[in-house]
């Protein structure tokens, strides 16, 4: 299955930036995991986002058009141009001859040119995941929830650089300042070149006389933060909320990733949820079922009156329209289905017993009262 970025967004190949952004907004609202019932929504949302990112970046788009989808993705996987537009990144490599930047590097990778400093470009940080549990009432009302999350954060002491600002820098001798090393292998298909990040300098191309003692050179520290998220009314168990730019910091000054919050909604003792509908079981007596009655049924926002018609059978279900869960980010509510259960008494006082025996006789029934029943009656006195 082809996943051409133009097809993903449903735009033509000559669409301009505005068209692309507009198409993305439409896709994003259609597939936003908070909104869509489509089980693949999150995947589709990500694809649309990716497509927009590439097609609204002039250099990436040019590269994409020239290379085609597959080769572009391969190149990207190899670290070809993350954060491409940033050209050189927050701190360029003073020793690498290559000058950071454009899609030229992609071709270098394919056709064996020089290429340098890919690792130095700003890249978006990783998405992080966390989870929150709500009860059904909270899912019904919508709730603002505070939570703590321990996540990597840019190290303040070195500003994310991993070394003190005044540390001496020298070119990494292992990779000659390129940040990458090339290995040539003889394979049955011929000579293959494989490039990988230099282990000595971590792709920096530069070695420093000191590393930051706070972060041990990582440029990041793990930190606990308290965040607050607005959980919309009607959220379902298993849905994911996305807090943009609350994820891990991006390498080399790139933007943060997102924080994904998986919401689980606990079962409720009184109501079973099915989509936006609720199900509730309500006990009624034999006379109520026989003569009919108006009963007070609980809902998640107070009780409502429900008519039980005369001659109702045990197990019959009545629908209370619009008394279920709110529809997520839409108007209206689901329904409440009330299944009545006619409760058979397991003990009677003598008056009730007499009345019931007369009831049976009047209907021509002969009732041989079970001994166990008398025992229960005795014990209840
Ligand atoms: Zn190196
Ligand atoms: Zn540090």
């Amino acid at each position: 299955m082809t996943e051409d970025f133009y097809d993903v967004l449903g735009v033509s190949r000559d669409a301009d930036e505005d068209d692309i952004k507009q198409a993305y907004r439409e896709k994003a609202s259609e597939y936003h995991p908070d909104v869509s019932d489509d089980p693949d929504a999150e995947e589709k949302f990500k694809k649309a986002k990716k497509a927009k990112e590439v097609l609204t970046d002039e250099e990436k788009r040019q590269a994409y058009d020239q290379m085609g989808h597959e080769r572009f993705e391969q190149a990207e996987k190899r670290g070809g141009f993350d954060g491409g537009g940033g050209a050189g990144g927050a701190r360029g490599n003073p020793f690498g001859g290559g000058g950071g930047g454009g899609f030229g590097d992609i071709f270098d990778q394919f056709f064996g040119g020089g290429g340098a400093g890919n690792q130095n470009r700003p890249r978006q940080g990783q998405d992080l995941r966390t989870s929150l549990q709500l009860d059904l009432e909270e899912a019904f009302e919508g709730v603002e929830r505070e939570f703590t999350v321990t996540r990597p954060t840019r190290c303040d002491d070195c500003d994310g650089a991993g070394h003190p600002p005044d540390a001496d820098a020298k070119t990494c001798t292992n990779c000659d300042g390129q940040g990458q090393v090339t290995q040539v292998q003889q394979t049955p298909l011929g000579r293959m070149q494989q490039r990988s990040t230099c282990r000595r300098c971590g792709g920096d191309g530069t070695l420093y006389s000191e590393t930051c003692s706070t972060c041990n050179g990582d440029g990041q520290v793990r930190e606990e933060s308290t965040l607050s998220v607005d959980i919309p009314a009607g959220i379902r168990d298993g849905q994911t909320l996305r807090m943009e730019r609350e994820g891990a910091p991006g390498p080399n000054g790139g933007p943060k990733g997102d924080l994904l919050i998986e919401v689980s909604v606990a079962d409720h003792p009184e109501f079973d949820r099915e989509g936006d509908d609720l199900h509730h079981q309500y006990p009624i007596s034999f006379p109520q079922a026989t003569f009919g009655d108006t009963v007070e049924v609980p809902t998640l926002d107070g009780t409502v009156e429900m008519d039980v018609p005369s001659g109702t059978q045990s197990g019959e279900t009545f629908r209370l329209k619009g008394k279920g869960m709110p529809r997520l980010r839409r108007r209206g509510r689901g329904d409440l289905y009330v299944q009545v259960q006619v409760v058979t008494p397991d003990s009677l006082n003598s008056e009730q017993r007499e009345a019931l025996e007369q009831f049976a006789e009047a209907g021509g029934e002969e009732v041989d009262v079970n001994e166990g029943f008398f025992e229960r009656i005795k014990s209840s006195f």
Side-chain angles (χ1 to χ4, degrees), residues 172-180 198-206:
C172 173
T173 47
N174 190 44
C175 61
D176 242 358
Q178 302 292 298
Q180 295 194 326
C198 171
R199 284 199 200 147
R200 183 104 174 265
C201 61
D204 238 11
T206 308

Side-chain angles (χ1 to χ4, degrees), residues 78-381:
R78 296 162 60 156
F81 38 78
D82 272 324
R91 51 201 177 96
N93 180 348
F95 302 104
F103 66 91
D105 287 357
I106 304 158
F107 293 102
D108 289 345
Q109 287 204 334
F110 273 93
F111 306 118
N118 290 328
Q119 300 296 321
N120 281 348
R121 281 188 235 150
R123 277 169 286 158
Q124 182 165 348
Q126 285 190 313
D127 289 349
L128 302 176
R129 287 182 170 271
T130 187
S131 59
L132 284 180
Q133 191 175 49
L134 308 183
D135 54 36
L136 191 62
E137 282 87 351
E138 290 172 313
F140 178 84
E141 300 263 352
V143 66
E144 188 183 341
R145 188 54 100 67
E146 272 200 356
F147 62 99
T148 57
V149 59
T150 303
R151 56 182 175 170
T153 308
R154 185 156 290 134
C155 173
D156 279 341
D157 288 354
C158 61
D159 228 0
H163 58 84
D166 55 358
D168 292 329
K170 65 175 177 116
T171 305
C172 173
T173 47
N174 190 44
C175 61
D176 242 358
Q178 302 292 298
Q180 295 194 326
V181 286
T182 307
Q183 282 164 328
V184 180
Q185 275 178 307
Q186 206 62 46
T187 75
L189 297 170
R191 269 159 57 92
M192 297 273 283
Q193 281 195 16
Q194 202 190 2
R195 304 177 83 200
S196 55
T197 303
C198 171
R199 284 199 200 147
R200 183 104 174 265
C201 61
D204 238 11
T206 308
L207 295 171
Y208 295 92
S209 57
E210 274 178 84
T211 50
C212 170
S213 57
T214 311
C215 62
N216 281 324
D218 286 346
Q220 313 187 338
V221 288
R222 289 184 75 76
E223 208 173 69
E224 188 177 276
S225 345
T226 302
L227 300 174
S228 162
V229 60
D230 270 318
I231 299 177
I235 190 122
R236 294 187 192 177
D237 186 52
Q239 281 184 314
T240 300
L241 297 171
R242 179 182 292 269
M243 289 179 84
E244 287 193 3
R245 301 282 177 262
E246 294 289 356
N252 307 315
K256 285 185 185 176
D258 298 338
L259 178 63
L260 304 176
I261 304 167
E262 187 173 327
V263 175
S264 57
V265 181
D267 288 341
H268 192 278
E270 300 243 18
F271 301 101
D272 286 329
R273 183 180 189 177
E274 228 171 78
D276 294 327
D277 296 331
L278 293 173
H279 295 258
H280 176 69
Q281 299 214 330
Y282 190 86
I284 57 172
S285 68
F286 172 63
Q288 281 178 308
T290 311
F291 298 129
D293 196 3
T294 300
V295 295
E296 299 245 302
V297 176
T299 72
L300 283 173
D301 57 346
T303 56
V304 291
E305 291 195 337
M306 182 181 86
D307 283 328
V308 177
S310 58
T312 291
Q313 302 299 318
S314 191
E316 256 184 72
T317 298
F318 300 96
R319 182 169 80 138
L320 299 177
K321 218 170 172 310
K323 295 295 176 190
M325 295 295 285
R327 301 195 191 282
L328 183 68
R329 291 186 176 145
R330 279 185 287 155
R331 299 160 74 87
R333 283 168 62 178
D335 302 329
L336 173 62
Y337 290 88
V338 181
Q339 187 181 43
V340 297
Q341 304 288 346
V342 177
V343 179
T344 309
D346 61 358
S347 70
L348 298 170
N349 62 34
S350 55
E351 238 175 288
Q352 286 173 319
R353 198 190 126 207
E354 214 170 294
L356 201 54
E357 280 177 4
Q358 281 173 9
F359 170 84
E361 271 168 36
E365 247 182 291
E366 239 178 78
V367 183
D368 197 8
V369 181
N370 186 304
E371 262 178 47
F373 190 77
F374 284 116
E375 260 153 42
R376 276 207 298 279
I377 293 170
K378 270 185 234 147
S379 66
S380 70
F381 281 111

